[in-house]
Amino acid sequence: MAEFKDAHSPLYDTYARAPLAFERGEGVWLVTGEGRRYMDFAAGIAVNSLGHAHPHLVAALTEQANKLWHLSNLYEIPGQRRLAERLTEATFADRAFFTNSGAEALECAIKTARRYHYVDGAPERYRILTFEGAFHGRTLATIAAGGQAKYLEGFGPKAPGFDQLPFGDHEALKQAAAEPDVAAILIEPIQGEGGVRSVPPQCLKGLRDLCDEHGILLIYDEVQTGIGRTGRLYAYEHSGAAPDIMASAKGIGGGFPMGVCLATEAAARGMTPGTHGSTYGGNPLAMAVGNAVLDVVLGEGFLTHVQDVALLLKQSLASLADRYPDVVGEVRGQGLLIGLKAKVPNVQLVAAMRDEGLLAAPAGDNVVRLLPPLIVTVDEVHEAMSRIEAAVAGLSLAGQRKSA
């Protein structure tokens, strides 16, 4: 494998990059400048929901690029209204605010929740309850919401107003929710970065009841789980426990940077003119692509396809765990958000897969994430499994004994 190195790069040294540079993409495939093809089962970390160079997305972006790129929100942007109407029609929400990223969507969600209580005459209600292992973004507020020491270190005092609770500790949650200064509970239906840890449907229903009991808002972070990733448009639909506010990004732009904060009419009532804004959020280019993504994802049979190929992939991976228990301990997740709990260092398994021409992403709790584009076919799942098995077998003690 040809290595890609640049010891004198002017870029911030904040990424531990793999020694690869890609020139183009086709569906689930990425191609290097030397012509080597890789199956992209990371999908830009759940961003490239429709794969690379999807013709409908390319056409929508190209058409819009030849018309108008940017206006700012000083003027009407028709694509915004259309996308907001489609999202609110398909979800719990009544209102939408468009952003450029998931972190910005979370910032809007946090501000919306605090502002709700402020206009309700309870400005003291500003604290947000979150959960250990969560990841909500890289801004000062969202790293405080996530509460992970590795992301907080060196950036000064932690932004106040966020309380982390143990994942799955119902008693601690009940006690914390009863405090008079709590504004909202913020949770990922499935922790992605935290190790593909799912919140059971009954727990999400319990959260909904708890919020209603104490007059606090329920916020879902569906940045990674949304737009068909779990086999439904949004993961909360599996439980039937709708939030008051939700942050969405990644897959909604299919590779174009965009996000959205969705909310009920009641939850958004404090977000009046001048309370929040974004220079680029909701720009015509992003809206054209976002609408094109929904054209496909909301199309007849698409989410059924996601469910079908996800079942095949999970069953195949479960068989792999049975045969190589010294490498793979558990298969987690829902839909095409799948985690392999590794028995070897997860970065070692990711590297072994990469050597076999398949790209995956590490996560917390020593998990390897598989996040293929939602357009992945049955044949491509079979091809991916042959590469994943080759990587796992190469790391297996049994495999090492056979080759000795």
Side-chain angles (χ1 to χ4, degrees), residues 324-332 339-350 353 363-368 395:
Y324 299 98
D326 56 327
V327 179
V328 179
E330 180 188 359
V331 180
R332 302 175 175 176
L340 301 182
K341 171 72 171 176
K343 293 289 189 69
V344 298
N346 61 351
V347 292
Q348 187 178 357
L349 182 52
V350 168
M353 290 180 183
D365 200 25
N366 203 42
V367 163
V368 173
L395 294 175

Side-chain angles (χ1 to χ4, degrees), residues 122-159:
E124 73 280 1
R125 302 191 74 169
Y126 70 96
R127 303 197 71 81
I128 312 289
L129 303 181
T130 64
F131 298 88
E132 292 175 355
F135 181 85
H136 298 298
R138 299 274 191 168
T139 67
L140 289 175
T142 53
I143 62 174
Q148 296 192 48
K150 64 182 178 180
Y151 299 126
L152 289 163
E153 181 184 4
F155 296 113
K158 176 185 170 184

Side-chain angles (χ1 to χ4, degrees), residues 110 113-114 117 122-128 160-162 180-184:
I110 292 164
R114 289 179 171 176
H117 291 288
E124 73 280 1
R125 302 191 74 169
Y126 70 96
R127 303 197 71 81
I128 312 289
F162 300 95
D181 58 355
V182 173

Side-chain angles (χ1 to χ4, degrees), residues 92 106 109 185-189 204-205 207-208 218-223 235-237 239-248:
F92 72 96
L106 262 300
I185 295 173
L186 168 59
I187 192 168
E188 300 159 281
L204 292 179
K205 291 177 181 177
L207 283 177
R208 179 69 272 171
L218 179 58
I219 307 172
Y220 287 156
D221 177 344
E222 290 233 31
V223 168
Y236 79 84
E237 297 174 44
S239 70
D244 301 292
I245 306 169
M246 183 171 71
S248 177

Side-chain angles (χ1 to χ4, degrees), residues 41 71 74 81 122 189 200 203 256 265 280 296 322 329 333 346 375 388 398:
F41 269 49
L71 277 172
L74 295 173
R81 180 180 289 270
C203 292
F256 196 95
E265 186 76 35
Y280 295 105
V296 177
D322 290 339
N346 61 351
I375 50 123
I388 294 169

